[in-house]
Amino acid sequence: MTTQGLSHRRDQVREEVLRAGYVRVEDLAQTHGVSLMTMHRDLDQLQEEGWITKIRGAATANPTALRDAGVAERSLSMSAEKAAIVREAGRLLGRGQTIFLDDSTTAVGLVPLLSAHVPITLATNFVPAMAMLSPSSGVEAKLLGGAYDERLQSCSGLQTIDAIDALQADLLFMSPTGITGGRCVHRSEATVMVRRALLARSLRKVLLVDHAKFGRPATHVLCGVEAFDTVITDDRVSDEDLQLLRDRCPDVRVASTGDESV
């Protein structure tokens, strides 16, 4: 293959991994009609350039490479797994609760389920969550305002933290950028500050994490998995990662991607 053809294939592979968030090496090799060894060389180069991280037979997009991704792009990643996790998380909702949602594209999937449990209160710093509520939903909504980030469509900073400190939630639903060494990690310090405040003001803490986030690196540590009362992942999680969760959390649930019931 010419140098130009090799570069084109690697560009395609890079875009596929960044778009999906997580792709198996075997699937990439089949898609591009090359051997596993060749695909590993491609991924080694992309990893050296900082685009991806190779983890146990797969490639996952680096948070630094995704830093310019907006909400719409992030919502497309791992959509089936996120939907399965949300279905399982919805079983924890009940009448009269106050719910914290972080600004993740996983947790926001719970918003359409809230109206079935009114009276219920939603508090979040994620503006798209507010936009998903209809006037007739019956959900009491509180926007945790502060400095607004247009790309992330969420609020952060001291005002947001002050708004969180004025409330007490029955349930917090949160999703990390990645999990490395049993710890939840995020791209920005501002994100960690808001999420620490959410954790401190919640009675029950629920972590929502699809299998692609295990091994994905990021700069700032939020907390260990053991800080959560419940962890919900999907059925493509590896045995090793599932055992890590069960060693650190008393209630680990695996959502079936084939289960359409709520």
Side-chain angles (χ1 to χ4, degrees):
M1 175 176 284
T2 65
T3 301
Q4 183 177 4
L6 174 62
S7 177
H8 178 66
R9 186 183 69 230
R10 286 180 177 169
D11 285 344
Q12 288 184 317
V13 170
R14 180 192 65 202
E15 292 303 317
E16 287 175 44
V17 177
L18 294 184
R19 182 173 60 251
Y22 174 99
V23 186
R24 294 171 62 242
V25 178
E26 183 178 353
D27 292 340
L28 286 169
Q30 290 179 351
T31 298
H32 294 276
V34 297
S35 68
L36 283 173
M37 184 177 296
T38 296
M39 184 50 60
H40 275 292
R41 285 197 294 267
D42 286 349
L43 294 173
D44 286 341
Q45 180 62 39
L46 292 173
Q47 180 170 255
E48 184 176 336
E49 294 172 3
W51 295 106
I52 63 102
T53 296
K54 292 174 66 179
I55 53 171
R56 291 190 298 278
T60 183
N62 277 348
T64 50
L66 292 172
R67 65 184 180 274
D68 293 325
V71 172
E73 290 84 357
R74 289 190 290 126
S75 297
L76 295 175
S77 175
M78 309 302 292
S79 57
E81 288 81 359
K82 288 176 180 177
I85 289 169
V86 165
R87 286 194 296 269
E88 182 61 36
R91 304 181 197 277
L92 301 176
L93 297 173
R95 289 171 56 86
Q97 292 174 333
T98 296
I99 306 297
F100 276 159
L101 297 183
D102 69 0
D103 60 347
S104 67
T105 56
T106 302
V108 75
L110 283 156
V111 174
L113 307 182
L114 298 180
S115 59
H117 302 281
V118 293
I120 195 168
T121 300
L122 165 66
T124 182
N125 65 324
F126 198 31
V127 173
M130 294 294 169
M132 292 171 66
L133 290 172
S134 69
S136 60
S137 68
V139 177
E140 180 181 355
K142 298 181 182 296
L143 178 62
L144 304 170
Y148 180 66
D149 186 314
E150 184 175 357
R151 177 176 56 85
L152 299 177
Q153 297 183 44
S154 64
C155 301
S156 62
L158 291 177
Q159 288 178 303
T160 305
I161 292 171
D162 286 344
I164 294 168
D165 286 343
L167 300 173
Q168 181 74 59
D170 299 291
L171 276 172
L172 163 65
F173 294 99
M174 180 179 288
S175 184
T177 293
I179 292 184
T180 60
R183 301 189 297 179
C184 299
V185 293
H186 292 275
R187 290 185 288 271
S188 77
E189 184 176 345
T191 297
V192 167
M193 291 174 64
V194 169
R195 296 187 186 206
R196 284 180 179 170
L198 291 170
L199 285 165
R201 300 299 298 166
S202 302
L203 297 177
R204 183 175 183 180
K205 307 161 188 70
V206 183
L207 184 68
L208 312 176
V209 55
D210 64 68
H211 70 275
K213 293 185 176 180
F214 290 91
R216 179 180 291 175
T219 305
H220 300 278
V221 175
L222 172 62
C223 63
V225 170
E226 61 273 10
F228 294 87
D229 303 291
T230 299
V231 179
I232 303 175
T233 187
D234 65 82
D235 55 8
R236 292 184 64 189
V237 67
S238 71
D239 291 341
E240 180 181 349
D241 290 330
L242 184 58
Q243 189 58 53
L244 178 148
L245 295 177
R246 288 176 170 162
D247 288 343
R248 294 171 180 249
C249 180
D251 180 21
V252 176
R253 307 184 184 194
V254 179
S256 171
T257 52
D259 180 11
E260 297 297 329
S261 62
V262 174

